[in-house]
Amino acid sequence: MNLLRHHSMLLATAGTALALSLTACQSDAPTKSASAATSSATGKTSDGGQTDASGATGSTGPAHSAASKSPTDRTAGDSSAGSTGEQASASTRVCTARDVTVTAAPQDGPPYTHIVLTAKNTSGHSCRLAGAPHIQFLESHKQDVPAVAKSKPATPVVLTAGAPAYALVKLSDGGVDEDNEPVSAFSVTLEGDSTVIAVTAPGSGGVAVDPAKALTGYWTPELRNGADDF
């Protein structure tokens, strides 16, 4: 009888110990799971970034800041982007009579039907030579010589210090029956400036001009076949 009671007591003690062990294991499991979840939510990834609960990876370093910019953002922030040549040329101040020296020379041999005007920048700084020269050959004809539209350059003509520009000028058709008049000097004014520039006609006897046939081209950096053929 005593042996049976002693055996029952041993079984009861063992059962109690087992129950306590199971209870301890069950209470520790949620703590470990919560700790693991917290570590996963705030822990660092292998590349140094931090992972949020959604699994997205971010970085607080400078590399992320540069990489996160879109191509448009990087272009907008690039100070090397500058304005176009045409815009820079258009912003240059217009040449005046004080900035240039204008001379005339025959284009071909006799009969002299055309001359070439040269405007050289003598100012020491850049300026923009706008439009066509305003030419008056004779006191009896106060109208400016008409300009030929096809000779107009595509972009503004900017003269650096010492640089020249040219304008082809038609005097007549070269016919003996034309109503030509001798011209030894004539006046030129520039676009945007009313100052009259006196230009000496080329040749010892000057040139013969038919006011009804006279034409002028626009100022250009160089004379161009076709556009300046009139």
Side-chain angles (χ1 to χ4, degrees):
M1 188 67 179
N2 289 335
L3 181 61
L4 181 59
R5 184 180 296 120
H6 178 70
H7 182 67
S8 298
M9 291 177 65
L10 288 176
L11 288 178
T13 301
T16 301
L18 180 61
L20 291 174
S21 176
L22 289 175
T23 300
C25 289
Q26 288 175 354
S27 62
D28 185 52
T31 302
K32 289 184 179 181
S33 298
S35 176
T38 302
S39 176
S40 175
T42 60
K44 291 185 177 180
T45 62
S46 60
D47 62 356
Q50 290 189 346
T51 306
D52 59 22
S54 63
T57 302
S59 172
T60 57
H64 172 70
S65 177
S68 64
K69 290 184 178 180
S70 68
T72 303
D73 293 336
R74 290 195 293 269
T75 302
D78 187 359
S79 60
S80 65
S83 56
T84 65
E86 184 174 350
Q87 291 172 332
S89 297
S91 67
T92 306
R93 74 178 189 85
V94 176
C95 297
T96 66
R98 293 183 300 176
D99 299 320
V100 299
T101 299
V102 180
T103 57
Q107 185 202 32
D108 307 304
Y112 295 110
T113 59
H114 292 72
I115 60 174
V116 176
L117 294 185
T118 301
K120 184 177 181 180
N121 183 356
T122 56
S123 68
H125 55 74
S126 296
C127 64
R128 177 166 52 94
L129 198 57
H134 297 271
I135 304 170
Q136 291 186 6
F137 281 115
L138 300 163
E139 286 293 327
S140 58
H141 295 79
K142 291 297 187 181
Q143 297 83 4
D144 289 347
V145 172
V148 179
K150 70 176 182 177
S151 68
K152 185 177 182 179
T155 57
V157 177
V158 174
L159 299 182
T160 57
Y166 308 96
L168 183 65
V169 181
K170 180 181 178 180
L171 307 176
S172 67
D173 287 337
V176 294
D177 296 329
E178 288 184 282
D179 189 14
N180 294 333
E181 298 188 37
V183 173
S184 59
F186 55 94
S187 66
V188 173
T189 56
L190 305 178
E191 188 79 25
D193 183 16
S194 60
T195 305
V196 176
I197 303 172
V199 180
T200 301
S204 57
V207 293
V209 178
D210 182 351
K213 303 293 180 64
L215 296 170
T216 182
Y218 282 72
W219 294 113
T220 58
E222 60 183 6
L223 296 179
R224 305 153 299 164
N225 292 333
D228 299 309
D229 184 14
F230 53 86

